[in-house]
């Protein structure tokens, strides 16, 4: 029931009376009233009684509202979040309530019935938090409804972005032999490197700067890592916002795009959801050649997973202990088991397990609160703990288990105050992410198979080795403190123009360290011996063994060469400072946005200033036809590996020993010298210059848009030949990207009989040229900038097309159909990815008397996929319901080639089924 004595209702009544008196005495000029109503603002109004929500909205929007209290009695609102002008925001709040509005000549807005409230239809999916139409073609939003209509798969944020244009995936993301993995997908936005995106979770960065390009878990000196510090499950989210172009000055430290994941305030006094989702290899079709089928049957590699079993458990609770306080809590657990053979060729080991099961595990433990402290003062807070781990072993190796530990934890505090002059937002965060390794052994040894070392694998008539051990524990973490301040100043109306200002600053301190906790070693190259006596009078029982070898009949063997990894800690601290200012001029149908972002940190040789500008033209003044152009610069950020590689290599030495005088000599260690070449003090920050042009049209219930984006990325970092020999990190890399995108998105559902359908369609053409694949891509002086032969012509080596994240044409169609009477919703995603050409070095050709590299082309046919998700609700009691969801990936079981290697063509996965079942209350 609506309480007419509620303070906010009384405030609304007083406001209406005063506004009526003032408007009668001092009529508002129509032009000024229209200018105020056309101003777009950001809103974050919590759910509640419709009367309370309207009162707050009237205050923030500067509207004069009048309403009979009986009209809103018993009605609730889902609140409002997003950027709206005054009228479109009001329309969103009234949508579905049976109420409309009418503006009087004095400027007063009357809330009136529109023909009856009608009967409500039970909600099929989770509560949907409505967002406004993005103010730029460079911004896309995936709301809760669209997330629920997608096959969740691993449930990671980046996999959900496959319905959006201008985003490309790693070729191996759908690799038929990698579907037991649960880590988030890697993406590229407008040709930028996959690690050059900024990831935000409720305004807090979870980008991983440790060593995102190191993806090999078996690397001895560095644990594997990824571009995201957290594996966040999409079930936590209200919406995902992607800014791929014309990004405002508020956002920095990226040269690709900004991916923002946001949670919703609770809408229920108490409620929740519990579910379980599962899939397994038996529910997926493998696309394999005959040769690959034999290889998979005895696979030892997690790149060829013949079996897997994945499960996801989700629990979410929400409630409002008081009218002003809302809490949400959730726990998500993902697990995967991947059985493999321990020894190549299905060989059975004499003294080790011949079958081993790798495991993956990811958790999200999350608590978030929303507190409306007072009228105009709001706070939010969250605490999360999100560890992840991958348990692996080294093939053909005994006692080789190790865990790659990732994920992290953090605290996020926000405060927003709406004053007379400005809305001021504060955000204070602390986070810790890691990419570490834990293992039971710290020494890896390679022996010849013998009577005492009898667990190994025979690779040929001359090779039969027994390996054992691991590389030792490494702790690698990134800790950050960050404070952000943003002020959105009240717009200033001057004549027929409106002037808006936004200012802000960001301060952070990031400490990144690499800590090898104990000495480790790789010891190899066995030689024959009949004694394990050492020159010092002892006996070497660790790196020497007496026992007849299976090949060569040696009486014994000792290991002669080693790489030692000495314990030590490398730490890098970086203080970051940023400030930005943005000005918007609204004049009739034109809106000009101009911004500057200043950034400086201790590792960069000099500060950077990134100009941002965009012009928007509402052609006919009715928000139906809009033209947009922009020119922007984006700066990337520093990565730990660039500033620690030198010190990490300095912890390594090489050693040799021999058999002399009937005894084994001591190790002779030699310090590596290549570490001296890795200099980072002179590295500049990579940057990207962008040009944007686009047009959008509202027509027949849909928004049509055509957008062109050109990116020129410069000063990118890669490994180059050092003058002293070896390798060093250097600027000079470049990437050029041009994309044209046509999109059509429904703004209102299409009704057909008892069904309603929303759709989104896009097709894009992209051309990407790059000088290198990543910052760890080593390119010699002989190749850098040289002339090569490609596709029938001679070009510069640095202008070759990218081999990955580079499908030239991609089309997507996403359909969400709801059948309320059957409590059913069906989501379909159709994707067409045009053929692409992979380039590989293939001999040389003559160029003006000089032999230059010839690049051969292999064309892979187009990839077509149809993914479906079916959601069904079964009412149980009151608002409670059981539900089941069936996801089918690659419904048609198409064979989509993605790569080729020594085993032949590699395909994406075939048809795969996922089932989720649960209960809402």
């Amino acid at each position: 029931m609506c309480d007419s004595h509620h303070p906010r209702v009384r405030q609304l009544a007083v406001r209406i009376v005063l506004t009526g008196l003032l408007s009668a005495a001092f009529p508002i000029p129509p032009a000024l009233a229209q200018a105020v109503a056309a101003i777009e603002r950001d809103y974050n109004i919590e759910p509640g009684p419709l009367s309370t929500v309207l009162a707050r909205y009237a205050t923030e929007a500067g509207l004069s509202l009048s309403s009979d209290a009986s009209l809103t009695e018993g009605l609730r609102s889902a609140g409002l979040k997003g950027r709206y002008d005054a009228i479109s925001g009001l329309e969103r709040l009234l949508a579905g309530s049976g109420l409309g509005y009418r503006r009087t000549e004095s400027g007063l807005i009357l809330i009136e019935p529109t023909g009856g409230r009608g009967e409500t239809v039970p909600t099929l999916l989770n509560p949907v938090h409505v967002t406004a139409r993005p103010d730029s073609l460079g911004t896309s939003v995936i709301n809760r409804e669209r997330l629920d209509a997608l096959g969740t798969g691993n449930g990671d944020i980046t996999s959900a972005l496959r319905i959006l244009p201008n985003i490309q995936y790693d070729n191996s993301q759908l690799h038929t032999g990698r579907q037991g993995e649960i880590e988030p997908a890697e993406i590229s936005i407008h040709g930028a490197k996959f690690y050059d995106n900024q990831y935000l979770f409720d305004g807090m960065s979870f980008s991983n700067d440790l060593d995102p390009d190191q993806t090999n878990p078996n690397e001895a000196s560095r644990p594997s890592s990824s571009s995201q510090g957290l594996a966040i499950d999409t079930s936590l989210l209200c919406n995902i916002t992607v800014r791929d172009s014309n990004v405002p000055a508020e956002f920095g430290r990226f040269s690709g795009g900004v991916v923002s994941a946001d949670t919703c305030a609770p809408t229920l006094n108490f409620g929740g959801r519990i579910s379980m989702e599962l899939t397994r290899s038996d529910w997926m079709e493998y696309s394999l050649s005959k040769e690959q089928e034999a290889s998979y049957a005895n696979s030892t590699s997690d790149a060829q997973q013949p079996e897997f079993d994945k499960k996801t458990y989700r629990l979410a609770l929400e409630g409002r202990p008081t009218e002003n306080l809302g809490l949400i809590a959730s726990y998500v657990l993902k697990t995967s088991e991947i059985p493999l053979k321990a020894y190549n060729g299905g060989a059975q080991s004499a003294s080790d397990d011949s079958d081993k099961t790798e495991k993956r595990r990811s958790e999200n433990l999350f608590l978030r609160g929303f507190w409306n402290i007072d009228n105009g003062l709001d706070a939010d807070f969250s605490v999360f703990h999100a560890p992840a781990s991958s348990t692996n072993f080294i093939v053909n190796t005994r006692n080789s288990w190790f865990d790659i530990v990732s994920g992290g934890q953090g605290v996020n505090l926000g405060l927003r105050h709406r004053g007379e002059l400005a809305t001021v937002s504060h955000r204070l965060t602390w986070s810790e992410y890691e990419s570490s390794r834990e293992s039971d052994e710290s020494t890896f040894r390679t022996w010849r198979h013998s009577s005492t070392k009898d667990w190994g694998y025979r690779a040929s008539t001359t090779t039969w080795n027994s390996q054992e051990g691991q590389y030792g524990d490494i702790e690698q973490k990134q800790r950050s403190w960050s404070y952000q301040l943003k002020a959105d100043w009240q717009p200033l109306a001057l004549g027929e123009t409106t002037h808006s200002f936004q200012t802000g600053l960001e301060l952070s301190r990031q400490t990144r360290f690499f800590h090898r906790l104990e000495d480790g070693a790789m010891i190899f190259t066995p030689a024959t011996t009949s004694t394990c006596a050492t020159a010092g009078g002892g006996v070497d029982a660790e790196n020497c063994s007496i026992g007849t070898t299976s090949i060569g009949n040696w009486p014994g063997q000792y290991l002669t060469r080693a790489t030692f990894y000495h314990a030590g800690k490398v730490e890098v601290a970086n203080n970051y400072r940023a400030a930005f200012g943005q000005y918007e001029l609204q004049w009739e149908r034109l809106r000009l946005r101009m911004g500057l972002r200043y950034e400086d940190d201790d590792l960069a040789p000099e500060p950077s200033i990134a100009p941002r500008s965009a012009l928007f033209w509402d052609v006919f003044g009715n928000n139906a036809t809009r033209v947009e152009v922009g020119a922007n610069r984006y700066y990337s950020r520093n990565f730990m590996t660039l500033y620690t590689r030198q010190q990490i290599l300095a912890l390594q030495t090489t050693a040799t020993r021999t058999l002399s005088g009937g005894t084994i000599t001591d190790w002779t260690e030699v310090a590596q010298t290549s570490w001296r070449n890795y200099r980072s003090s002179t590295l500049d920050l990579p940057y990207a210059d962008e040009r944007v042009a686009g047009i959008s049209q509202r027509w027949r219930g849909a928004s049509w848009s055509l957008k062109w984006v050109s990116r020129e990325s410069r000063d990118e970092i890669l490994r180059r030949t050092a003058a002293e020999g070896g390798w060093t990190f250097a600027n000079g890399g470049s990437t050029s990207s041009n994309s044209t995108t046509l999109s059509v998105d429904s703004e209102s559902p299409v009704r057909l009989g008892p069904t309603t359908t929303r759709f989104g369609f896009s097709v894009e053409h992209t051309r990407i040229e790059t000088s290198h694949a990543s910052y760890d891509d080593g390119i010699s002086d002989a190749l850098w900038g040289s002339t090569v032969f490609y596709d029938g012509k001679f070009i510069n080596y640095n202008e070759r097309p990218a081999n990955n994240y580079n499908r030239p044409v991609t089309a997507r169609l996403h359909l969400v159909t709801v059948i309320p009477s059957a409590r059913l919703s069906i989501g379909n995603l159709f994707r067409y990815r045009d053929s692409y050409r992979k380039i590989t070095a293939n001999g040389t050709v003559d160029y003006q008397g000089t032999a230059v590299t010839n690049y051969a082309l292999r064309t892979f046919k187009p990839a077509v996929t149809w993914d479906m998700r079916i959601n069904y609700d079964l009412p149980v009691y009151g608002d409670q319901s059981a539900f089941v969801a069936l996801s089918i990936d690659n419904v048609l079981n198409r064979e989509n080639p993605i790569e080729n290697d020594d085993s032949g063509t590699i395909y994406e996965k075939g048809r795969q089924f996922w089932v989720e079942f649960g209960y809402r209350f």
Side-chain angles (χ1 to χ4, degrees), residues 313-329:
Y313 306 88
R314 297 181 175 99
L315 170 65
L317 300 172
E318 65 173 83
R320 303 188 68 85
T322 69
E323 184 179 347
N324 295 335
L325 177 63
L327 297 174
I328 56 175

Side-chain angles (χ1 to χ4, degrees), residues 541-599:
E542 293 184 342
N543 300 309
C544 181
S545 173
I546 300 301
T548 304
T549 62
S550 302
I551 294 179
N553 292 318
W554 294 351
Q557 56 184 314
Y558 75 105
L559 305 181
T560 65
R561 301 179 65 85
T563 298
F564 291 117
Y565 305 94
H566 297 281
K569 186 174 183 179
V570 178
E571 184 171 321
V572 176
N574 189 24
N575 295 304
Y576 169 78
R577 303 160 289 276
F580 69 90
Q582 187 164 279
Y583 163 69
E584 287 194 9
L585 168 65
Q586 180 83 43
W587 176 60
E588 294 185 347
R589 300 191 298 272
L590 289 175
R591 180 163 62 95
L592 174 65
R593 187 179 73 197
M594 301 180 66
L596 280 177
R597 184 176 181 90
Y598 168 90
E599 295 180 327

